[in-house]
Structures are given as structure tokens and as C-alpha cells.
Amino acid sequence: QASRLVELPYSSFDDDDGHSLPRDAAEQDPGVWYPDPPKASPFSRCVRYLAFLWNLLFLLLGLLILAVGVWGLLAKSPVPGGEPGVPLGSDPMLLFVLAGLAASAVSLAGCLGAFRASPCLLRFFLGAVLAFGGLEVLGGLLLLLARRRLRDALRDLLLLCLLRYQEDPDLQFLVDEVQRSLQCCGLESYRDWESNPYFNCSAPGVQACGVPASCCQDPLQSGSVPNAQCGFGVLGLGAAAAGAVVHLGGCGAALGAWLRGQAGAIAAGATALVLVEAVGALMGLRGLRD
């Protein structure tokens, strides 16, 4: 056999069992037989292609979220020579950037791991998916065990939104949407807007002693364009006169009631997210085993 390797260095030959000896391996160690690796079954190939497409879809979704976050940060960047913008650490668009980066990185690892059959990338993908799933389950348990603290944190968040209403466009949009959709005003009542330095009655601007237009009961006022000044001077009126113009009830109780009504939809969404991650993890495990 050794002489045969010398005479035919570029040919392959069969052993007694019918397995072919790889040319490079046989030249290195002619005394060791290397059987051909088993071919993947049609089911394994189907799972591999499906895992690639599955992760490609979430890669595109992650890139879209990342693009939205970057666009939001750039859109609010301060103009040279103008007032400073929103601090980066407190910008809500930073959450979109981080979520997009995490989803893109994990999905890219899943795509390349399925396409290249790389055990290293598949292990990274499985570890990241399991870590995200564990954090989601832990967060759900904490929400169930600390519902009172969650309500307090939600109240503090709403109060912070009221105080920074004019400073952050994202918070302004969020507050306006909540007040408009839930037909409420302020945290406990419309009087909470007195704590905002721009709507306080001692403020020097035209918005002094007023509330945002999203508090108005009829912001259009029988027109086609919303009247941005419909809430001006409301804090200087009595409760009866103010009730004819704006919603008097606060958004804290209204938002809590809305969340309780949406508990089923929130649970269904969380379950669907866990199932999506479980399907990806199962396909990754199948590819890693193959």
C-alpha cells in the first residue's frame, strides 16, 4: 500500500469495506482509514434552508428597527450653534438602536450558522436565544410579583413625561397620543399640568395657565385643522368651565384600566414571542446536531 501511494499520489483507492480514503489524509497517515462523512437527510436539508430563511426574516426586521432608531437620533441632533438636544442616555430612540443591534447580530449568526453549517455560530445563536428567553420569563415573573411597584413606576414615568413634555419630541408625541386616545388630561387630573414650567400660570410664555391641545374634548372645534390653542388659559378657569373645554380626568387610572383590558392581548403577544424563539432554537439545535 505504501508503494502504491508513492506510485499513484493523486489517485484514491478503496478499503476492504468499500470506503474511499481521502487523498490528503492517506498521504499523511496511510495506516488510518477515514470514511466519507454521512450525507444529510432531506429533512435536515429542509430544516437548514428553513432556518436560514427564518433568521433572514428577523435580520431584515432587526435592521429596520435599527434604521428607525438611528433616524430618530439623527433627526433630533442639535443644530450647530443652536440649543443642545436630548441627552443620548435618556433618549427613547436609543432603545430602538439597542434592540435592532441585538436582533441583527443574533439573526446574522443564525443565518451564517445555518448557511455555513458552523457549530461556533450556531452555539452563539442558541446561547443568545436562550438568554433572551430567560430574561423575558424572568421579567414576566417580576411583573406578576411586583405589580404594585410597577404601578408606582408607571406613575413616576407619566410624571416625568409631563415635566419634560416640551423638551423631548418623543415624550411629547407619547403623551399626546395617550391623552387623545384615552380622553384624559394629566396624571391625576388636568391640574397636574401646573407642575410643568411651560404651562404653569407664572410662566412668561403664551402657554402659561394652559394645557396641551390633546386634552381638549374637541380639538378641531368644528373645523378641519386642529386648534393648537384650544387649551390655553384652562388652568385659570373653574372646574365647571374647564370641563366644557378639556377632559378633567387623569391618565393614570385610565391607562391602568386600559392595560387590564389588554391583559389577554399582552399575554398572547408574549406567548407568540416565546414560541418564535423556541422554533428558532429547535432549528438551531437540529442544525448543530447534524
Side-chain angles (χ1 to χ4, degrees), residues 10-246:
Y10 298 101
S11 63
S12 61
F13 57 93
D14 299 334
D15 59 357
D16 296 338
D17 297 332
H19 296 292
S20 61
L21 180 66
R23 184 170 55 217
D24 297 338
E27 291 176 356
Q28 295 176 2
D29 190 357
V32 179
W33 301 105
Y34 296 92
D36 291 335
K39 295 183 178 180
S41 63
F43 178 75
S44 297
R45 290 197 297 269
C46 180
V47 171
R48 178 181 176 184
Y49 298 146
L50 183 60
F52 174 78
L53 295 176
W54 184 271
N55 287 281
L56 180 62
L57 174 63
F58 286 97
L59 174 61
L60 296 177
L61 181 60
L63 292 177
L64 178 61
I65 296 175
L66 176 61
V68 171
V70 173
W71 172 81
L73 292 178
L74 294 178
K76 294 185 297 182
S77 59
V79 180
E83 297 181 357
V86 181
L88 182 62
S90 60
D91 198 322
M93 301 305 294
L94 185 62
L95 297 177
F96 285 85
V97 175
L98 296 178
L101 283 176
S104 301
V106 175
S107 300
L108 180 61
C111 280
L112 295 179
F115 181 74
R116 301 290 298 174
S118 172
C120 180
L121 291 176
L122 288 176
R123 290 191 183 98
F124 172 78
F125 170 75
L126 288 173
V129 171
L130 293 177
F132 288 155
L135 291 176
E136 292 165 3
V137 173
L138 180 61
L141 292 177
L142 291 178
L143 290 179
L144 292 176
L145 296 177
R147 287 177 294 182
R148 183 178 298 275
R149 293 185 178 180
L150 177 63
R151 287 195 297 266
D152 295 339
L154 185 59
R155 289 171 56 86
D156 295 340
L157 178 61
L158 290 176
L159 182 59
L160 178 63
C161 292
L162 295 182
L163 294 176
R164 297 185 53 188
Y165 177 80
Q166 299 285 22
E167 301 174 4
D168 193 333
D170 294 323
L171 293 181
Q172 182 176 351
F173 172 79
L174 178 62
V175 171
D176 287 338
E177 287 298 317
V178 170
Q179 292 188 148
R180 190 178 296 111
S181 58
L182 298 181
Q183 297 182 354
C184 56
C185 186
L187 181 59
E188 298 292 340
S189 69
Y190 74 105
R191 288 289 180 185
D192 293 330
W193 283 104
E194 293 180 353
S195 59
N196 187 286
Y198 294 92
F199 292 102
N200 191 279
C201 291
S202 60
V206 295
Q207 295 177 335
C209 235
V211 295
S214 56
C215 290
C216 296
Q217 296 185 8
D218 185 16
L220 297 178
Q221 293 183 347
S222 302
S224 59
V225 180
N227 182 12
Q229 301 179 359
C230 61
F232 284 11
V234 170
L235 295 178
L237 303 176
V245 180
V246 299

